[in-house]
Amino acid sequence: MTSVNFNAGATAALQTLRNINDSLDKTQNAVSTGQKVSSASDGVAYWSIATTMKSDNKALGAASDALAVGSAKVDTAYSAVDSAIDVVNEIKAKLVTASESSSDKDQIQLEITNLQDQLSSIGQAASFNGENWVVAGSQTQGTVVDGFIRNSSGGVQITTATYDISTYAMFDSIQANGAGTGGILGAVMTIALTSTMTQGQIDDYMDTVETALSSLTDSGAALGAMTTRINLQSDYASSLSDAIDSGVSGLVDADMEEESAKLSALQTQQSLAIQSLSIANSSSQNVLRLFQ
């Protein structure tokens, strides 16, 4: 039966066209954005996971930047310790020279004094971004941000690497006159040769220097170990970031080959649906011929 009030064929054709247009809109959005899930409405579960992981990856990138700053602080401190070892070795050599009975100990002390001033200068200059790990001051630990993690319960945590400044500092403080005091090198700074000094006293100074060298070596080793940890963590953070990016891509990125094929098919279906709707609409016009 043909009715002028309701065209069932046109209604069916219109519904089909609407469905095709909805699918075409989604496919065109996927092609233009490169994502099959670009909003929560496209897939709540995948969108939620991807949003969280993108946020975590950004935090991980910030932690990697902090690692670079931390690496610079460690390198600065290590350079100071390494230079200090060279200077203390020079002081050691001067004390050996002073052990010769015919040596001029007063002149040797002038050289040692200059070397002591150099140690103070090294300690004072070893500052990066306002932090000096070789002059303790009020510091007890140096801290470097080395990671960002999310635990199994969903909580987040910033991880850090620490350096024991109170144990490994070259000096406790730098006095107003620029001289370093306390710390690993405090006793070295008190060395003062005189022409009347005995060999036993010089030997005591030698023991002082050896103790300082041993402590400086421990300090350098601690800084070296920290550098290794920072480098390993930096490499791991880079790999982890790539893995997260890959995982997020698998969740939300569109398969462009598939979307391209789908787009062509939907465009063809759209053309056919439009023609079908046109045919369905024109069928009702045939009723007029019955009255001619």
Side-chain angles (χ1 to χ4, degrees):
M1 182 184 75
T2 301
S3 171
V4 295
N5 294 319
F6 179 73
N7 189 331
T11 300
L14 180 60
Q15 186 60 45
T16 299
L17 181 59
R18 285 173 177 167
N19 292 336
I20 292 173
N21 284 340
D22 287 343
S23 297
L24 187 59
D25 287 342
K26 291 180 180 179
T27 302
Q28 286 177 330
N29 182 67
V31 170
S32 62
T33 63
Q35 294 181 323
K36 62 184 178 184
V37 180
S38 58
S39 64
S41 60
D42 296 328
V44 175
Y46 285 171
W47 177 84
S48 177
I49 293 171
T51 300
T52 300
M53 295 310 297
K54 285 178 181 178
S55 176
D56 286 358
N57 209 16
K58 189 172 183 179
L60 184 61
S64 296
D65 293 339
L67 274 174
V69 175
S71 179
K73 290 191 288 188
V74 173
D75 288 346
T76 300
Y78 179 81
S79 294
V81 171
D82 193 44
S83 296
I85 289 174
D86 291 339
V87 174
V88 173
N89 278 327
E90 285 294 323
I91 293 176
K92 179 179 177 180
K94 300 304 177 186
L95 291 175
V96 172
T97 301
S99 297
E100 170 59 43
S101 59
S102 61
S103 63
D104 188 337
K105 294 180 177 58
D106 290 331
Q107 292 299 318
I108 293 174
Q109 179 56 40
L110 289 176
E111 294 180 287
I112 290 176
T113 299
N114 287 329
L115 293 171
Q116 290 168 330
D117 291 341
Q118 179 62 21
L119 288 174
S120 296
S121 297
I122 291 171
Q124 197 168 22
S127 177
F128 181 85
N129 196 31
E131 288 191 55
N132 190 325
W133 285 9
V134 300
V135 179
S138 60
Q139 305 174 97
T140 57
Q141 283 189 333
T143 303
V144 175
V145 173
D146 69 351
F148 169 86
I149 61 173
R150 182 179 293 276
N151 58 35
S152 58
S153 62
V156 296
Q157 180 181 347
I158 302 298
T159 60
T160 59
T162 58
Y163 175 73
D164 191 352
I165 295 177
S166 60
T167 299
Y168 296 122
M170 289 166 46
F171 297 111
D172 286 339
S173 63
I174 301 293
Q175 295 180 331
N177 62 0
T181 60
I184 290 174
L185 298 178
V188 174
M189 300 298 289
T190 64
I191 293 175
L193 293 175
T194 63
S195 58
T196 60
M197 189 160 284
T198 65
Q199 185 59 45
Q201 292 172 309
I202 295 176
D203 289 342
D204 289 340
Y205 283 153
M206 288 288 289
D207 290 339
T208 296
V209 168
E210 285 298 325
T211 300
L213 282 172
S214 177
S215 297
L216 285 173
T217 301
D218 291 342
S219 178
L223 290 167
M226 197 169 187
T227 297
T228 299
R229 175 176 175 177
I230 288 173
N231 290 339
L232 289 172
Q233 183 64 22
S234 181
D235 291 342
Y236 171 68
S238 178
S239 298
L240 181 59
S241 179
D242 290 342
I244 291 174
D245 283 338
S246 178
V248 170
S249 175
L251 291 175
V252 302
D253 286 356
D255 183 334
M256 298 306 290
E257 291 85 356
E258 179 183 347
E259 297 300 332
S260 176
K262 189 185 297 183
L263 180 62
S264 297
L266 287 171
Q267 287 172 337
T268 300
Q269 291 175 34
Q270 184 187 48
S271 297
L272 292 173
I274 291 172
Q275 290 182 18
S276 177
L277 179 60
S278 178
I279 293 171
N281 283 332
S282 65
S283 65
S284 62
Q285 298 296 321
N286 295 330
V287 177
L288 294 174
R289 295 180 184 178
L290 297 175
F291 300 96
Q292 293 177 353

